[in-house]
Amino acid sequence: MNITVRYFANMRDRMGRAEDSVSLEGETVTVEELWRRVSPQQALPANVLIAVNMEYTDASRALKNGDEVAFFPPVTGG
Amino acid sequence: MNITVRYFANMRDRMGRAEDSVSLEGETVTVEELWRRVSPQQALPANVLIAVNMEYTDASRALKNGDEVAFFPPVTGG
Amino acid sequence: MKVIVQEGPFDPYQVTRDYEAQSLPVGKHGAVVTFVGTMRDFNDGHNVSAMFLEHYPGMTERHIEDVCQEAADKWDVIDALVLHRHGDISVSEPIVLVAVWSAHRAHAFDACRYIINYLKERAPFWKRESTAQGQRWVEHNTEDPGVNSQGTKQKSA
Amino acid sequence: MKVIVQEGPFDPYQVTRDYEAQSLPVGKHGAVVTFVGTMRDFNDGHNVSAMFLEHYPGMTERHIEDVCQEAADKWDVIDALVLHRHGDISVSEPIVLVAVWSAHRAHAFDACRYIINYLKERAPFWKRESTAQGQRWVEHNTEDPGVNSQGTKQKSA
């Protein structure tokens, strides 16, 4: 399956890029497994927020082809 | 002593006038006694508000020369 | 802090903007909360076509100023502006503006709500409505349940 | 209800007035509460000279719309307008406007406060401040103690 991965704010700074396009094999791939693919050296930061297709979710969420996954820090708007 | 008495809203309608100037004899005169002077026929309505020199007070308040006394219904601004 | 009681219409948003430009230091407030009370065409189940608002000149201003000062004592208020009309008021026109500037939004919300609630309780104004049945003095204001119930957020029926 | 996320400055009071004139029925609302969040020149003990506000286009609008809908489900809301900036912001400029129209003031206050509080909690925006020490991402917003403590009115230290 093909997944678009987006990074915002300090997560983009940390990754050194704003976006990844990832092809994954396997029936069920979770956000956590996706993270290990895009960031093999570093565990998912504890306070990172995760969105799949613009809805908040958690690292156990199973992905499907075409999903857009975003990693970002706590929000500070308003 | 000389007292100015003012009536607002439905209290003015009820009294048929906006203001009275009253001369009172005696050392201590209360708002209640003033009311009996300006309205001999009718007791002070239960929900009427009283101000002396623009501060809220009650009917037992003792008056002094030059005071301005106001009688009016519950307020409905804002 | 400024309290104005005036006859005749006003634009609450222009008043707020102008006051902020003239009176507020730049960059110190992070939150502005305004309340605007406007005249509805209904009240207590009756259609209302016009309203007259009587007040007690002098006492009205004094008590609004007291309420503003109480709010400034309770919360971090940088500045507050209250403008209240008297006289004839037409449907949909603003009656009252309360604007509060603070560094923090919780303080701005609390202070603004305090000012309008206690203004309605203590400032000597009286509304006389014109309805199809004639003129009538409004006998009581609706209460803000949030004040007496410590900010409960249940929807009232 | 309308949600706008835009780059570039805006005048929150003109926006509120224009929206009311264009979108609100005449004589139905008795209360309008607005919240305007503006950029302060200080935060967390540092002087701040400028700010950049990043957002997640699409997700941001969706979550603000959800928050507005929740407020309309909880309280009697006639209409609501939210305008939030992104991009470069200068000291004292408005960042966000929340305006709520209701028949009753308690509902307008509660709904407005709900919208700004949950917008700050859930809408994906991130502030990067420029200070004398360089640029830094703001790590957390201040909370509104009134929400978690059911509207207590104690002055915070």
Side-chain angles (χ1 to χ4, degrees), chain B residues 12-13 54 56 68 76, chain C residues 54 56 63 122 125 127 137:
Chain B
R12 187 186 48 242
D13 297 349
M54 302 187 177
Y56 288 104
E68 175 173 298
T76 54
Chain C
E54 183 175 341
Y56 185 170
H63 283 266
R122 283 154 39 189
F125 287 104
K127 289 175 179 155
W137 291 102

Side-chain angles (χ1 to χ4, degrees), chain B residues 13-47:
Chain B
D13 297 349
R14 183 190 291 238
M15 300 300 282
R17 56 196 188 271
E19 205 169 313
D20 279 317
S21 288
V22 181
S23 290
L24 295 165
E25 301 295 320
E27 284 297 304
T28 56
V29 178
T30 65
V31 169
E32 181 141 31
E33 289 158 349
L34 171 69
W35 174 260
R36 284 200 294 269
R37 170 73 176 272
V38 297
S39 176
Q41 309 299 331
Q42 206 156 24
L44 196 58
N47 69 345

